[in-house]
Amino acid sequence: MSFQTSFKFSRIGLAVVAALASSTSFAEEVIADSNAVIDTNIERITVTGRSFNDYNVGSSSGAMRGDIDILDTPQSVTVIPDFVTDEQLATNLGEVLVNDSSVTGGSEKWNRQVFNIRGFELSSGSGFLINGQQQWSHYVQPIETLQQVEVLKGPSSMLYGQSGPGGLINMVSKKPTAETMFDFGFDTDEHGSTRFQIDAGGSLNESETIRYRTVLVKQDTQYWREYQDGSNQERDRWLGYLNLEFDITDDLLLSVKYDHTQDKTGIDTGGWLDSSGDLIGGSDIIWDQPWAFTDNTITNMGADLTYHISDSWQVKAGYNDQQFNRQRLDSSPQYSETAMTDGYTIKPFDRYDDWQHKTGYVDFTGNFYTGDVEHQLLVGANMLDYYYGQLKDSYVSEGGDNFIPVTPGTPIDRPDLDYNNDSTKYESEYKHYGFYVQDLVTITDEWQVLAGVRYDEQKKDGDGNNSYAVSPKFGVIYSPAANGSIYVNYSKSFTPQGIVNDPNDINDKMNLDPEYGEQYEIGTKWELFDGSLLLTGAVFDITVSNVTVTEDLSTPVGDDTQITTQSGEQRHKGFEMGAQGQISDKWFMTSSMMYLDAEYIRPESDGLNGMTPVDAPEWSANIWTRYEMTDDLALNFGAIYVGERFASTDNTITKDSYVRFDMGAAYTMDVMGSDVSVRMNVKNLFDVDYLAGGSYKDVTVGEGRHVSLSLEAKF
């Protein structure tokens, strides 16, 4: 197979306009030929002016692969609407997910973000969904195109295949609108960062059978930490997004999506902690060299087709092609606890990565009765075609090693590296198929039962390690009142593993079985104040088996000095509570908290037995509120608490707990018939020093007091 690349667009705006114009022309012809009319059966989402109380979202599309009421979902789910994150002036997914305390951040090096749900790290390949389809998320996800973010907690393999035991992040895209809308946004901060946004939608013909939504973003970010030549890390990002909907016939809806991201930033792998947990060299030093960068180009093209067979039955199919190309010129600083006194080394390389992520699905859903018993049936299949290729040129000194010594405060010149000059090439690919059946059975007004099962098959080229799995899910919902429910569930996840690849291991070349996660959860959900406030609570117990363990042999066997087995386990248990919605006529809030007890269960001879994973705090909590002083003026207050966490797997280095307070204010006015809002937010109001996610080698250093300003105009 030849190494594949994708074309980089240099004019995002022109690309979006061209796509819009060509698609519009085509769709007009299709509609004219079919004499289509507007169909009331086709699901249409119209976005109008957002009200101040839009904190509580009543349904989740990802938890059940359909818009099912949260009270009818036997699973813990948090839905974070864009209304809340717009108030917070969030610029990335990490700033969105602070609204759910079950999610904790990890490392942010290489211009990507790592997250943990219930203490389990999310995989870049299987932990993130866009509208229910797997998304390769090895970069900072754009949030300007999202209507809401859903945190699906616990194993979700029954619906989505390979995934971790902690849960999934499902990002729901903004939909086209029938009514014309045009929003312009601008925000800046004390460092001189800027972000311009345009969000537009409407109908392209009088009958409103062709609708669109487009988003354009230009962002230039200046970060506060400094390279050793005195310069700051910078980021330059372009984003273009287009979503078109066509009412092909009375019962047939076609949605076509396209987005393109170009994102280049300097590299900051994070701070280094010494054995006492203190920052080496202070809070603002970047160990990477100022010439290091990562340059991401991501394109998604996809389509969804919905056909309403009848009022009760429909078929929905979709496909997405994601092309992700990255150049990473990395100085690769090597951790040293004595870096400030004895210096440290870097290990430069220039690397090109090509990821191709093709996904597809077919879902058949319907409602029917057997006697007095109602069924909501889902039968479906999905697939993933994954390809990865890499070229790499590594630095080699005259002496033959890969290291360059560095004296702190003295930058090193950029080495002569170019991945195009290197003939080495690495490729990997696999295909994944899954088939699933799920039935939500309403027995009476008080009792519902959910049962589902899935079969998965993954075929991986090269090592021949094919994986097969059966993932069941079972839940029971009891509704003692119309506004509340109590549920229990059992679910299972699986994560395929590779092979043992170590010539000094007695089990070298052994195929590893998948890791399996099992969860038992009991929870409750209540809607108060006529449904304006949602209260939730859940107790969970998750155990992962078949965890890989590598140990030294007490007596070497020939050249074999260690042995790898799958004798390990990992157990996370705890409880969560949350509140989201309206408290009074003028007061609104979203908040959550989690208690977590996480540990490795491994052979006594293994050094990790009984240890707690990195970035798994025992306690975490958050709150964000809005209080309307007048019809035009609103104040916000927020707080985030993260408990003490370990920064090393052997639990010898810790990061202290912290509380961060945030405040904000917004004023809305009428300017020539348009709504114009001005907002000021202050993060870390009391300038607290804190450490966020990451290990002792790549910890994210929390920024001090940070002031942001924004302007939004709606036409």
Side-chain angles (χ1 to χ4, degrees), residues 262-431:
Q262 290 180 288
D263 192 353
K264 183 176 182 179
T265 183
I267 295 179
D268 177 4
T269 53
W272 291 347
L273 303 180
D274 60 21
S275 56
S276 299
D278 297 323
L279 281 166
I280 300 171
S283 61
D284 61 350
I285 185 173
I286 299 178
W287 300 103
D288 302 84
Q289 295 299 300
W291 41 260
F293 69 85
T294 178
D295 190 0
N296 297 326
T297 302
I298 306 101
T299 300
N300 284 282
M301 293 185 291
D304 294 276
L305 196 65
T306 303
Y307 178 60
H308 293 266
I309 302 172
S310 67
D311 291 340
S312 301
W313 296 91
Q314 76 170 23
V315 175
K316 189 172 183 178
Y319 177 80
N320 188 76
D321 186 341
Q322 182 186 29
Q323 304 288 325
F324 181 3
N325 303 113
R326 179 184 71 178
Q327 181 188 1
R328 188 169 121 206
L329 178 62
D330 201 333
S331 57
S332 188
Q334 306 297 296
Y335 172 84
S336 173
E337 191 168 353
T338 61
M340 294 304 296
T341 57
D342 300 332
Y344 63 104
T345 60
I346 61 174
K347 191 178 180 181
F349 62 85
D350 188 17
R351 194 171 99 183
Y352 182 82
D353 302 284
D354 178 17
W355 286 282
Q356 300 180 21
H357 221 241
K358 299 178 176 65
T359 58
Y361 73 95
V362 177
D363 283 348
F364 179 74
T365 58
N367 296 343
F368 66 95
Y369 285 84
T370 54
D372 294 330
V373 176
E374 181 185 3
H375 298 262
Q376 297 181 55
L377 181 67
L378 165 67
V379 179
N382 56 13
M383 56 77 65
L384 166 65
D385 187 348
Y386 168 89
Y387 168 82
Y388 172 63
Q390 180 194 110
L391 292 173
K392 185 177 180 180
D393 184 15
S394 299
Y395 170 81
V396 180
S397 69
E398 294 181 0
D401 61 34
N402 301 111
F403 300 96
I404 301 176
V406 177
T407 300
T410 306
I412 300 299
D413 291 337
R414 173 175 172 170
D416 184 18
L417 295 171
D418 185 355
Y419 66 83
N420 283 312
N421 295 329
D422 189 17
S423 60
T424 62
K425 178 172 63 178
Y426 170 80
E427 293 180 306
S428 174
E429 54 188 318
Y430 65 83
K431 292 180 173 60

Side-chain angles (χ1 to χ4, degrees), residues 244-261:
L244 292 167
E245 281 186 351
F246 310 101
D247 294 339
I248 304 295
T249 70
D250 290 354
D251 300 304
L252 187 62
L253 172 68
L254 172 64
S255 175
V256 179
K257 305 181 190 70
Y258 169 84
D259 67 75
H260 182 82
T261 300

Side-chain angles (χ1 to χ4, degrees), residues 620-637:
S620 56
N622 71 280
I623 185 171
W624 178 262
T625 67
R626 178 187 187 105
Y627 187 79
E628 298 174 14
M629 302 293 292
T630 68
D631 291 341
D632 301 319
L633 176 64
L635 302 180
N636 297 100
F637 171 81

Side-chain angles (χ1 to χ4, degrees), residues 131 165 187 368 553 558:
N131 304 316
D187 53 77
F368 66 95
L553 291 171

Side-chain angles (χ1 to χ4, degrees), residues 97-114:
L97 294 173
V98 297
N99 293 287
D100 186 349
S101 59
S102 70
V103 182
T104 53
S107 171
E108 295 186 3
K109 61 185 179 182
W110 303 323
N111 195 25
R112 56 171 294 215
Q113 295 178 307
V114 176

